[in-house]
Amino acid sequence: MPAPQILESVTKSTPTPAALFFGFSRVGLSGFGGVLPWARRLLVETEGWLTAEEFNVLLGLCQFLPGPNVVNLAVAVGVRFCGWRGAVAGALGLMLGPFLIALVLGLLYDRYGELPAIQSMLHGITLVGAGLIIATGLRMGLNVKNRWVYWPFAAAAFVGITLLHWPLPAVMLGGAALTIALSWYRLSQEAKA
């Protein structure tokens, strides 16, 4: 039954490869230090291509895959709506503008990077990027149904990574194994009832 609910939550419109390219170009050119907040705004709030819950689920999958999360997200959204053309359009749109800007800024930094004003500016940009990531995480958490069920998993991941310094892949694989086992147990109990 969950599949029809996802299909019923169909978005405002189905994007074309051009819409994906230009949408993800806006995302790529908007972020400094991370574009996840901008990607969520585009996909959920501005264009409505995904619901908040669909975004959370898709981002969870993209975080589990190797590579940059938002690039994975652009590819996954592109494939969902336009197949391989959408994947190429989304990923290229996301990366082309920032690549060119980073190239120019790298050349400028090589020449002027030691100036104290430049160092101060870069420190401030870092803090803004961290704030955007924290705000996006909070907004995503507020859109999760039955939040209380997920708190133990979030707490365990936080303790494992931050306090115990376990490697991220081990925490991710352990969390995936635990959630699969719990889901299987829950489904088997529902089948018996």
Side-chain angles (χ1 to χ4, degrees):
M1 288 295 177
Q5 289 176 343
I6 291 174
L7 292 176
E8 288 173 12
S9 67
V10 174
T11 57
K12 295 179 195 174
S13 65
T14 300
T16 63
L20 289 166
F21 176 83
F22 289 113
F24 278 105
S25 290
R26 288 193 321 261
V27 169
L29 293 171
S30 297
F32 291 88
V35 295
L36 182 60
W38 306 111
R40 185 185 186 286
R41 178 175 288 159
L42 168 80
L43 296 170
V44 176
E45 298 168 16
T46 307
E47 299 297 335
W49 293 336
L50 300 175
T51 65
E53 188 173 344
E54 289 169 331
F55 177 85
N56 289 352
V57 170
L58 197 55
L59 180 64
L61 171 66
C62 292
Q63 288 177 326
F64 197 75
L65 298 172
N69 299 335
V70 181
V71 174
N72 291 344
L73 186 64
V75 170
V77 169
V79 166
R80 176 179 174 175
F81 290 110
C82 300
W84 70 268
R85 288 177 179 87
V88 170
L92 191 60
L94 182 68
M95 294 186 294
L96 183 61
F99 171 76
L100 295 174
I101 291 171
L103 189 63
V104 170
L105 289 177
L107 294 170
L108 291 172
Y109 183 77
D110 185 48
R111 182 164 173 110
Y112 303 108
E114 299 299 320
L115 296 175
I118 300 297
Q119 291 297 314
S120 295
M121 179 188 70
L122 292 174
H123 180 71
I125 289 172
T126 301
L127 296 175
V128 169
L132 286 171
I133 294 296
I134 291 168
T136 299
L138 291 173
R139 290 181 83 186
M140 287 176 61
L142 294 174
N143 289 318
V144 173
K145 295 178 183 175
N146 301 323
R147 277 179 284 237
W148 62 272
V149 173
Y150 301 103
W151 281 112
F153 297 102
F158 176 80
V159 168
I161 294 169
T162 307
L163 302 178
L164 300 176
H165 304 287
W166 290 350
L168 180 60
V171 172
M172 290 175 66
L173 290 174
L178 181 60
T179 56
I180 290 168
L182 289 174
S183 294
W184 176 80
Y185 175 76
R186 187 189 66 161
L187 290 173
S188 66
Q189 293 302 314
E190 288 176 3
K192 288 180 183 177

